[in-house]
Amino acid sequence: MKPSNRILSGVQPSGDLHLGNYLGAIKNFVSLQHEYECFFCVVDLHAITVWQDPQQLSHKIREVIAAFIASGIDPKKNILFSQSQVPQHTQLAWIFNCVARMGWLNRMTQFKDKAGKDKENVSVGLFSYPTLMAADILIYLATHVPVGEDQKQHLEFTRDIAQKFNNDFNTDFFPLTKPLIFGEGTRVMSLRDGTKKMSKSDISEYSRIMLNDSPDEIVQKIKKAKTDPLPLPASIKDASKRPEVYNLLSIFAALKDISTENAVQQYAGKDFALFKQDLTDLVVEKIQPISKEISKLMNDQLYLDSIMIDGKNKAIVEADSVLTKVYDIVGLQKP
Ligand code: ATP
Ligand code: MG
């Protein structure tokens, strides 16, 4: 029987996790874990599409697992693992490389943003990243994927692959997976530039608040966060014309579980110093317990490894059964 309520989502071990990862993705994983059967993975094979220090990588992989657990994901109820440990992802990705069209990949904005002017010199993996992402999702026949707004296009691409595969092989095997993009933090922007998303790979540490920042670092980063000389906006319409200001208000709203409109009303016409103080207190209050728990878990490598081994074993069972069916549909011999 095909799953009807299954989630797959991933986070790259490409740097320290930040508020965007938390508000756009991990916080939502926590609230969805009771309604869905969930597979949460550390997408290490995506991370190496750009160079990663081999000395650091396994530490960073464990750190993402620790962040999942520290944020409230139950490791007993959900399947937590790293992508590279389940080889069926890459096996399916190859088949999807043969289904996806060059024109589709050429339209991907994440590639354009990440490659910038250096398009000829980036890895082939960075270009074909979305076919592996489609395989991550469809190897579990996942029906839903909670992600930040930046991944919407890759989810559309995943549906295109599923649809083309189904058409090409006259089947209804793959589901047309739906994105779950919700909350006030679906696109947290850089603290230095309100037109750029907050990213692990941004060179400026002042562009993001990390889950492992100390209270002092949080104070400094919010103090230095770009704003403008005007008082806080009186309406959501005014706020949306000021990207940096809108961003800080929506971070506040997301952490407080209120709407951004509500946050705007609360601070309308007030001075930035007051708002930044309240925002700092709120970020510290919400982030500190997670950060402390991450450090604690990182001191228990055996525990983290046992979670990942257990997760990998469960994931492989599911992935292998799907891959066997896919090989059969395509006419390849049983893997
Ligand atoms: P990188 O810069 O290496 O791509 P990243 O910060 O974009 O790292 P990912 O691991 O690629 O992080 O993304 C993990 C999850 O976090 C995805 O669901 C993604 O949509 C979400 N996410 C990433 N950045 C933001 C952001 N600024 N706001 C909201 N969600 C985000
Ligand atoms: Mg990303």
Side-chain angles (χ1 to χ4, degrees):
M1 255 251 303
K2 284 194 200 165
S4 58
N5 238 11
R6 184 176 281 180
I7 275 178
L8 173 292
S9 198
V11 174
Q12 295 186 70
S14 50
D16 292 318
L17 298 186
H18 53 76
L19 216 45
N21 301 133
Y22 178 66
L23 295 175
I26 301 173
K27 185 171 181 278
N28 293 347
F29 301 172
V30 176
S31 67
L32 292 164
Q33 65 181 325
H34 305 292
E35 274 171 71
Y36 292 83
E37 180 191 5
C38 299
F39 291 72
F40 295 123
C41 69
V42 187
V43 282
D44 45 6
L45 296 174
H46 286 295
I48 62 165
T49 55
V50 296
W51 191 82
Q52 301 292 331
D53 184 346
Q55 310 290 332
Q56 298 277 322
L57 194 55
S58 69
H59 180 84
K60 292 206 172 300
I61 292 168
R62 288 197 187 98
E63 218 164 41
V64 176
I65 296 285
F68 285 161
I69 301 171
S71 304
I73 294 171
D74 179 351
K76 291 208 183 77
K77 187 181 179 298
N78 305 283
I79 299 178
L80 310 183
F81 63 103
S82 84
Q83 180 193 32
S84 63
Q85 300 302 292
V86 184
Q88 288 83 357
H89 289 229
T90 42
Q91 287 174 286
L92 184 59
W94 181 259
I95 292 176
F96 287 171
N97 272 337
C98 304
V99 173
R101 305 290 94 181
M102 286 296 288
W104 303 357
L105 278 172
N106 275 327
R107 285 195 285 275
M108 294 296 115
T109 55
Q110 175 173 287
F111 176 75
K112 288 179 196 158
D113 290 347
K114 288 198 170 181
K117 293 194 183 78
D118 206 22
K119 224 168 83 209
E120 296 299 313
N121 279 317
V122 294
S123 73
V124 175
L126 191 68
F127 183 69
S128 67
Y129 182 121
T131 59
L132 178 57
M133 179 165 160
D136 299 334
I137 296 163
L138 293 173
I139 196 71
Y140 302 106
L141 305 179
T143 53
H144 295 83
V145 180
V147 274
E149 181 76 40
D150 64 307
Q151 292 302 318
K152 197 167 167 217
Q153 194 186 33
H154 288 166
L155 258 300
E156 283 157 13
F157 176 88
T158 302
R159 290 164 70 93
D160 288 343
I161 289 194
Q163 192 130 45
K164 185 164 182 346
F165 181 96
N166 288 350
N167 284 342
D168 286 356
F169 297 101
N170 196 19
T171 173
D172 62 355
F173 186 69
F174 284 121
L176 301 181
T177 309
K178 294 189 182 73
L180 294 171
I181 301 173
F182 61 93
E184 298 296 315
T186 55
R187 190 170 177 80
V188 178
M189 308 308 276
S190 155
L191 300 183
R192 310 299 299 156
D193 176 354
T195 63
K196 258 172 62 184
K197 93 165 183 77
M198 188 178 279
S199 269
K200 291 190 218 93
S201 47
D202 193 313
I203 41 170
S204 165
E205 290 215 345
Y206 275 89
S207 70
R208 58 184 170 264
I209 291 172
M210 266 108 69
L211 294 188
N212 57 5
D213 275 342
S214 68
D216 274 356
E217 285 165 325
I218 294 172
V219 170
Q220 288 311 318
K221 286 179 180 179
I222 295 182
K223 202 183 260 174
K224 287 212 166 77
K226 193 174 162 200
T227 47
D228 53 42
L230 302 172
L232 277 125
S235 69
I236 190 95
K237 200 165 151 236
D238 287 350
S240 52
K241 290 181 203 140
R242 296 159 65 185
E244 284 86 10
V245 175
Y246 186 91
N247 186 39
L248 295 181
L249 283 159
S250 64
I251 292 174
F252 182 87
L255 286 170
K256 257 227 148 18
D257 282 319
I258 59 172
S259 66
T260 306
E261 196 157 8
N262 198 321
V264 171
Q265 279 163 9
Q266 218 170 306
Y267 288 95
K270 295 206 171 127
D271 192 57
F272 258 104
L274 170 82
F275 171 65
K276 280 192 167 182
Q277 183 59 54
D278 287 357
L279 179 63
T280 305
D281 293 346
L282 181 63
V283 173
V284 171
E285 177 198 321
K286 298 285 179 183
I287 295 303
Q288 273 295 290
I290 299 176
S291 146
K292 281 196 184 134
E293 191 58 23
I294 294 178
S295 309
K296 209 170 103 196
L297 288 163
M298 287 303 283
N299 284 326
D300 194 350
Q301 305 282 315
L302 283 177
Y303 171 68
L304 292 176
D305 288 353
S306 73
I307 299 286
M308 287 168 77
I309 292 168
D310 186 43
K312 167 189 95 164
N313 290 336
K314 289 181 179 148
I316 282 180
V317 173
E318 291 295 318
D320 201 51
S321 114
V322 170
L323 190 71
T324 302
K325 290 185 190 119
V326 172
Y327 268 43
D328 187 44
I329 292 170
V330 174
L332 296 165
Q333 280 184 352
K334 214 173 175 318

